[in-house]
Structure formats: C-alpha cells, structure tokens
Amino acid sequence: MTGNPASFHVMAKPSGAICNLDCNYCFYLDKESLFEPGTRFRMSDEVLSAYVRQQFESQRGPEVVFAWQGGEPTLMGIEFFERAVALQRQHAQGRRVENAFQTNGILLDDAWGGFLSRERFLVGLSLDGPTRLHDCHRVDKGGRPTFERVMRGLGVLQRHGVA
C-alpha cells in the first residue's frame, strides 16, 4: 500500500498532564517534573492549527476522529475547542468529523454542555464507582472529594443531551 492510510487514531492532550484533580493513582501528575520550570502546558494556536490540518492531510477515509484528553481538557476553555471545531470545518472538505472528549467533569457547566451538545462531541466522564470508592481516590488539589461535583457535571451532560 502506498500513500496515506485510510484512517488512524491520534489522542491529543492539549493541556498536557495538567489537571485540576490529584488522583492518588494518576501516572500523569509526575510528568510535570519532566519539563522546564514555568513551562506553559497549553497547546498553542499554531500547534492546534497544524495538528488539525495534518490530521486531514494524513488520512484518506470518509471520517476523521479527534480524541481530546489530558490531564483535564476543560482547562483549555471552550474557546480553544471552538477554534478546533472551526479549523476542522475549514479542512474537512466534505468528510465527517467526530470529536471524543474525556473529562473528570468538575468544570462542566451549561456553557460547556451547550457547546458539547451543539458540536456533537462524544464525552467520556471519569468516575471510579460509588461515592465511597470514587472519593478515596479522585480528590481535588486540596484533598477534597469530588464525587458530587462529577455527578453535577453528569447532570449538565444529561440536561444538554450530550452523548
């Protein structure tokens, strides 16, 4: 076979290992120590533009999938993902675009819910089980439990009909 593959899967981490939680089993949290002090853990607009363009240039299939994870991707802000979707539309040339998004749900609000629904993102919500199990592992930077905040985020997704 010559040329580009029909399709392939790439997972983007636009916020790097940065997260608003401090889960006791997370292997990403120590990755920050691999970078120079003061490093800005955010995908720049230039890299975002190149990433989106190259995804379309590199694939021949009728669908191009973008998977967004972290750290925590909501830390990038809705505006970042609005730019990503606009770039996808610019480069799609009739191909179907899918976006998948993995989040801890803590920062989800109605603005996020409206955006994720409108742009038809598939969202994975990180949850470690019932309250007792979740809260013993998934705590915020202050060591506080997060189950109730994740459930609030789930309510946002459900209220907006996000897949």
Side-chain angles (χ1 to χ4, degrees):
M1 180 176 155
T2 60
N4 296 340
S7 63
F8 56 86
H9 189 85
V10 175
M11 183 179 0
K13 296 177 174 286
S15 59
I18 300 301
C19 188
N20 53 345
L21 297 189
D22 201 10
C23 301
N24 61 17
Y25 55 75
C26 184
F27 54 90
Y28 285 125
L29 293 178
D30 65 342
K31 301 297 184 217
E32 188 174 343
S33 67
L34 300 174
F35 295 87
E36 295 291 324
T39 298
R40 190 167 180 249
F41 293 91
R42 292 181 60 86
M43 181 184 282
S44 70
D45 285 344
E46 294 78 21
V47 171
L48 174 63
S49 180
Y51 170 63
V52 170
R53 178 181 46 77
Q54 290 171 9
Q55 281 287 86
F56 286 103
E57 290 174 354
S58 300
Q59 300 183 51
R60 294 179 288 111
E63 175 181 75
V64 178
V65 178
F66 291 82
W68 306 98
Q69 292 199 7
E72 175 52 38
T74 58
L75 292 171
M76 295 300 291
I78 293 172
E79 299 79 16
F80 174 86
F81 290 98
E82 287 172 335
R83 289 190 301 276
V85 169
L87 287 164
Q88 291 167 352
R89 287 188 179 113
Q90 177 184 336
H91 293 287
Q93 297 178 336
R95 288 187 276 180
R96 189 172 58 251
V97 177
E98 298 289 333
N99 283 283
F101 192 84
Q102 185 69 34
T103 179
N104 60 39
I106 302 296
L107 297 178
L108 295 177
D109 58 15
D110 285 324
W112 271 108
F115 169 78
L116 295 167
S117 175
R118 182 174 58 256
E119 300 301 339
R120 304 177 56 100
F121 273 56
L122 172 66
V123 176
L125 185 66
S126 300
L127 180 66
D128 284 6
T131 308
R132 180 181 58 81
L133 292 175
H134 178 91
D135 283 346
C136 75
H137 298 291
R138 296 184 68 82
V139 297
D140 65 18
K141 297 294 186 184
R144 294 176 297 271
T146 61
F147 183 85
E148 291 302 322
R149 288 179 276 171
V150 172
M151 290 293 100
R152 187 185 70 234
L154 174 60
V156 167
L157 297 173
Q158 290 173 329
R159 192 166 52 253
H160 288 276
V162 176

